[in-house]
Amino acid sequence: MISDEWNETVELFRVKMPLRKHRCCFKSYEHCFTAAEAVDWLHELLRCSQNFGPEVTRKQTVQLLKKFLKNHVIEDIKGKWGQEDFEDNRHLYRFPPSSPLKPYPKKPPYQKDVIKFPEWNDPPPGTSQESIPVRPVVMNSEMWYKRHSIAIGEVPACRLVHRRQLTEANVEEIWKSMTLSYLQKILGLDSLEEVLDIKLVNSKFIIHNVYSVSKQGVVILDDKSKELPHWVLSAMKCLANWPNCSDLKQPMYLGFEKDVFKTIADYYGHLKEPLLTFHLFDAFVSVLGLLQKEKVAVEAFQICCLLLPPENRRKLQLLMRMMARICLNKEMPPLCDGFGTRTLMVQTFSRCILCSKDEVDLDELLAARLVTFLMDNYQEILKVPLALQTSIEEHVAHLRRVQIKYPGADMDITLSAPSFCRQISPEEFEYQRSYGSQEPLAALLEEVITDAKLSNKEKKKKLKQFQKSYPEVYQERFPTPESEALLFPEKPKPKPQLLMWALKKPFQPFQRTRSFRM
């Protein structure tokens, strides 16, 4: 990443730097420029660059031109280079016939999407059938009947299947893989090998930085020996909460605030490693190309800062909060003559925040650019990214969740091979969406219709429930009432039998007859 920016700056400087005729010691020189002209032009180029920005000072530009002279990007008008010192004056320089550009670092071949989620569903050797997770199977009409039997009034027996027990190491690996995958996506890279060594990323650091925080969002350390010394923390609190002159608790001797600031600067200046670590240098520098998209850059910095050791993250949080408060405090006396407070903060702490392990020609300018953005957005950058945390927690909860397993749902597991996604046309997608689930349902309906074991009453009940659940499939099978009536033809009603008593004369009241006497 640094070689890219170095080569880009060198090429722009060689192509666009104005060259003209100059006189020196009664002699004319063609196609050259003065040191002051080079400083003016390069300073404006760096200020307008998205990788550096308007915070670049003229002094930093002179330092870069010294490195240009040392690396034979430019040379003295007499052809000298390397040992001479570049100063901001009228001395003449020119470009050599060929300018060596730094070679791009060669990376080993890699495959796209190197961040791969662990397959926690794969059972270990010797696992019993009961612990095997439910996998997708090829569905046939029988399977659809069992899965959708609730639509026809039958719910088959089921049993609970617990997922494999996730160990602490499993959870840590999930946090690491998903965090790096999220960072790779934001940076738009095919592989994170370009910016960091994945093997050196510590998953315990990520989890600690997410959960072990105070109410103010500052990391809490388990090992108190890694805390800031008490005298440094007191000095930082003093400047961060600088009171009015009426506060009698504060020493008021002349230059007190400068001595306190120097104490803090000396401590951070003698750290063995910058706060953003040597390992993550390229990762943080790669985010500088996203500064035009402020929201995306903030998200990328959030992820990178989660990878820091907890003690580094805590020191960075306290330092950035102090720097921001000092810059906003109008009551703060000048801490340095000749420099504004904001410029002083950036120049004093940039190298203790970001620095490369090996000498890199642009790291000072890049560090100043990064620290400026960090100071302006530290409250958001040093927060835990809520979207990432929620996504990982939901994924872990899913792996631990109890699953419902129907009898026979795993009958085809050994027969079905892993399926892979393929791109389909919009027309095929619409067809599958419309008819993909209707065909098994239609087969299920036919099984109900042709089931000879069901009585007409039970069959009518189930068909009514099916019609209520899947009206479109039912309408396709029985488009008219007549087609439905054909399924249950009406039997001819038998004629009622005539009773014998109905053929007799109607009942008549008893009439007395005349009796004959013998």
Side-chain angles (χ1 to χ4, degrees):
M1 301 298 295
I2 298 297
S3 298
D4 296 351
E5 293 159 357
W6 167 269
N7 291 343
E8 180 183 357
T9 305
V10 169
E11 290 174 354
L12 286 174
F13 183 58
R14 283 179 57 85
V15 172
K16 297 188 177 182
M17 174 65 200
L19 306 177
R20 62 187 181 88
K21 181 178 180 181
H22 287 83
R23 291 183 62 84
C24 180
C25 300
F26 306 103
K27 187 175 180 181
S28 297
Y29 297 93
E30 299 286 345
H31 308 293
C32 58
F33 50 87
T34 66
E37 291 172 346
V39 175
D40 291 339
W41 192 90
L42 185 58
H43 185 210
E44 185 62 26
L45 173 67
L46 296 176
R47 285 171 54 86
C48 297
S49 172
Q50 65 176 5
N51 293 328
F52 303 103
E55 300 294 333
V56 177
T57 63
R58 189 175 182 87
K59 182 179 178 180
Q60 291 171 329
T61 307
V62 172
Q63 294 297 322
L64 180 58
L65 284 167
K66 287 183 178 181
K67 295 179 180 180
F68 278 4
L69 181 61
K70 180 180 179 180
N71 289 275
H72 206 195
V73 176
I74 60 176
E75 63 183 13
D76 179 85
I77 195 65
K78 297 180 180 179
K80 299 177 182 179
W81 61 278
Q83 300 299 325
E84 291 72 27
D85 192 17
F86 186 92
E87 296 182 2
D88 191 355
N89 54 25
R90 299 292 301 173
H91 194 77
L92 294 180
Y93 293 90
R94 68 186 182 189
F95 292 118
S98 61
S99 177
L101 298 181
K102 293 198 172 183
Y104 294 94
K106 294 183 178 180
K107 297 290 182 181
Y110 57 87
Q111 296 180 351
K112 194 171 182 179
D113 299 327
V114 296
I115 304 300
K116 183 179 180 181
F117 294 125
E119 295 294 339
W120 305 118
N121 287 339
D122 292 342
T127 306
S128 63
Q129 186 73 11
E130 291 294 326
S131 63
I132 298 179
V134 179
R135 293 186 179 179
V137 296
V138 178
M139 302 299 293
N140 51 31
S141 59
E142 181 180 359
M143 299 300 296
W144 271 92
Y145 182 86
K146 292 178 179 179
R147 289 289 178 89
H148 294 268
S149 56
I150 191 172
I152 56 176
E154 294 181 2
V155 180
C158 62
R159 57 190 172 90
L160 299 181
V161 179
H162 293 267
R163 295 272 187 169
R164 284 176 52 195
Q165 182 67 30
L166 290 182
T167 64
E168 183 179 352
N170 295 150
V171 176
E172 290 176 359
E173 189 62 28
I174 292 173
W175 271 93
K176 177 179 176 178
S177 61
M178 292 189 67
T179 301
L180 294 179
S181 178
Y182 197 74
L183 177 62
Q184 178 178 326
K185 180 180 179 181
I186 293 178
L187 296 179
L189 300 176
D190 292 334
S191 170
L192 287 180
E193 292 180 1
E194 302 176 17
V195 295
L196 58 84
D197 187 350
I198 297 175
K199 296 179 181 178
L200 298 180
V201 176
N202 193 323
S203 57
K204 294 182 183 294
F205 291 169
I206 302 174
I207 297 175
H208 188 101
N209 291 332
V210 170
Y211 292 108
S212 299
V213 294
S214 65
K215 294 181 179 180
Q216 292 76 26
V218 180
V219 174
I220 300 174
L221 300 182
D222 296 331
D223 187 356
K224 299 303 179 183
S225 64
K226 297 181 180 180
E227 286 275 9
L228 281 169
H230 177 71
W231 52 273
V232 176
L233 189 59
S234 299
M236 295 176 68
K237 288 181 179 179
C238 174
L239 292 185
N241 304 309
W242 186 261
N244 295 326
C245 295
S246 59
D247 191 343
L248 299 178
K249 296 181 181 179
Q250 194 73 11
M252 284 293 107
Y253 70 82
L254 186 63
F256 169 76
E257 66 283 350
K258 295 181 180 179
D259 291 342
V260 175
F261 181 75
K262 186 177 184 302
T263 300
I264 301 170
D266 288 344
Y267 172 80
Y268 276 93
H270 288 86
L271 295 176
K272 296 181 180 179
E273 186 181 33
L275 295 178
L276 301 186
T277 73
F278 292 133
H279 166 233
L280 296 175
F281 175 80
D282 286 334
F284 278 99
V285 170
S286 65
V287 183
L288 291 176
L290 303 174
L291 292 189
Q292 289 183 337
K293 303 175 181 179
E294 183 174 327
K295 185 177 180 180
V296 178
V298 168
E299 291 180 353
F301 277 131
Q302 282 181 335
I303 304 299
C304 289
C305 288
L306 280 184
L307 308 181
L308 294 173
E311 59 268 23
N312 288 40
R313 182 177 172 92
R314 177 175 174 82
K315 291 177 182 178
L316 179 65
Q317 288 175 316
L318 296 176
L319 178 61
M320 296 310 303
R321 185 168 64 178
M322 182 202 73
M323 293 169 61
R325 289 187 178 182
I326 290 176
C327 292
L328 295 175
N329 190 355
K330 297 181 180 179
E331 301 295 333
M332 174 65 67
L335 298 176
C336 180
D337 299 332
F339 287 100
T341 303
R342 183 182 177 86
T343 303
L344 177 65
M345 294 294 116
V346 174
Q347 291 190 356
T348 302
F349 296 108
S350 60
R351 287 193 65 80
C352 73
I353 294 177
L354 181 72
C355 181
S356 61
K357 190 173 185 179
D358 303 320
E359 182 182 357
V360 180
D361 301 291
L362 299 179
D363 60 350
E364 295 180 8
L365 299 176
L366 295 171
R369 179 62 170 154
L370 182 143
V371 172
T372 301
F373 188 83
L374 247 168
M375 192 166 57
D376 293 338
N377 302 275
Y378 81 97
Q379 290 182 330
E380 290 296 324
I381 290 175
L382 295 176
K383 281 183 179 179
V384 176
L386 185 59
L388 174 65
Q389 180 182 355
T390 303
S391 177
I392 296 177
E393 289 175 348
E394 289 180 351
H395 182 66
V396 172
H398 170 71
L399 295 178
R400 289 172 169 164
R401 191 173 296 132
V402 173
Q403 301 294 311
I404 298 178
K405 191 175 182 181
Y406 292 92
D410 55 350
M411 58 186 299
D412 295 327
I413 287 179
T414 58
L415 302 177
S416 59
S419 59
F420 300 91
C421 296
R422 65 178 182 86
Q423 188 174 5
I424 61 176
S425 63
E427 294 77 12
E428 187 177 357
F429 171 76
E430 291 296 331
Y431 176 82
Q432 291 184 3
R433 187 180 68 172
S434 302
Y435 301 101
S437 62
Q438 292 186 2
E439 293 176 359
L441 289 174
L444 176 62
L445 179 59
E446 289 297 328
E447 289 187 6
V448 177
I449 295 172
T450 58
D451 192 349
K453 297 181 181 180
L454 296 176
S455 64
N456 287 345
K457 182 178 180 180
E458 292 176 344
K459 188 176 296 187
K460 287 181 179 180
K461 181 180 178 181
K462 291 184 177 182
L463 289 177
K464 185 176 181 181
Q465 292 173 342
F466 192 98
Q467 182 183 16
K468 185 177 180 181
S469 300
Y470 306 106
E472 295 181 357
V473 179
Y474 192 86
Q475 179 67 25
E476 185 72 19
R477 178 62 177 82
F478 300 108
T480 61
E482 291 76 11
S483 60
E484 185 179 6
L486 293 176
L487 183 61
F488 304 102
E490 295 184 0
K491 296 181 180 180
K493 295 182 180 180
K495 295 182 179 180
Q497 296 180 357
L498 296 178
L499 300 177
M500 294 301 295
W501 61 269
L503 298 177
K504 298 180 179 180
K505 293 182 179 180
F507 178 78
Q508 294 180 356
F510 177 75
Q511 295 181 359
R512 297 187 63 160
T513 59
R514 181 179 299 179
S515 61
F516 296 94
R517 295 182 179 179
M518 298 295 297

